[in-house]
Amino acid sequence: MATITECRGALDRLSDNLARADDGVRGAAALDRTLSCHITDLDTTFTGRLADGRIEVQDTVPGPPPVKAQIRLAMSGDDLVAMVGGELNFAKAWASGRVKLEAGFRDLIRLRSLL
C-alpha cells in the first residue's frame, strides 16, 4: 500500500509531467480550478489548485474532502502511484470505476485530452 509521502510525490511528478507536456495537453490543464484528490485506502485528501498547467497541493487533510472542489478525484494510493508511473491507464481505470473523476461539464470537455 502506497504511503501519504509516496502519494504526495506522485502528485508532484504529475504536476511536473503536465508542465513538460506538449501544447495541447498543457492547454487542457491550463485551467484555474480548485482540486481535491481523495486517497481512499489512506482516507486522506490532498487539496489545492490546478493552475497554469500545474497542480499546486496546498494541504493534506484526514478523511474525505472538507469542501467540494471544482475538480474531484478519488482513488487508492497504489492506483495514483501506478498511473503517474505509467503502469495504469487513466481512461481504463476511470471506466472500470477504480478512479473517480467529478467536475463540471465544461471542465470535463477541456480535460478530455489529459485522459
Side-chain angles (χ1 to χ4, degrees):
M1 179 164 68
T3 66
I4 291 174
T5 302
E6 289 169 325
C7 292
R8 173 60 194 256
L11 288 172
D12 290 342
R13 284 191 307 281
L14 178 58
S15 180
D16 292 344
N17 292 347
L18 289 173
R20 288 192 304 265
D22 65 35
D23 289 339
V25 171
R26 221 178 17 250
L31 301 168
D32 185 7
R33 301 287 188 268
T34 57
L35 175 75
S36 68
C37 182
H38 183 225
I39 307 302
T40 55
D41 56 334
L42 299 175
D43 198 24
T44 299
T45 299
F46 295 95
T47 62
R49 293 195 77 78
L50 175 64
D52 300 321
R54 295 192 64 87
I55 296 169
E56 301 169 6
V57 175
Q58 297 168 338
D59 203 2
T60 305
V61 297
V67 294
K68 186 176 177 181
Q70 292 165 307
I71 299 172
R72 300 168 301 283
L73 292 161
M75 68 195 79
S76 74
D78 288 341
D79 285 347
L80 173 62
V81 171
M83 276 193 320
V84 174
E87 301 156 14
L88 178 63
N89 178 279
F90 179 87
K92 288 180 182 178
W94 181 53
S96 70
R98 287 174 65 177
V99 173
K100 294 186 180 11
L101 169 65
E102 296 177 45
F105 183 73
R106 281 192 208 164
D107 290 341
L108 288 173
I109 295 298
R110 291 226 23 218
L111 293 169
R112 75 184 182 276
S113 67
L114 300 176
L115 311 178

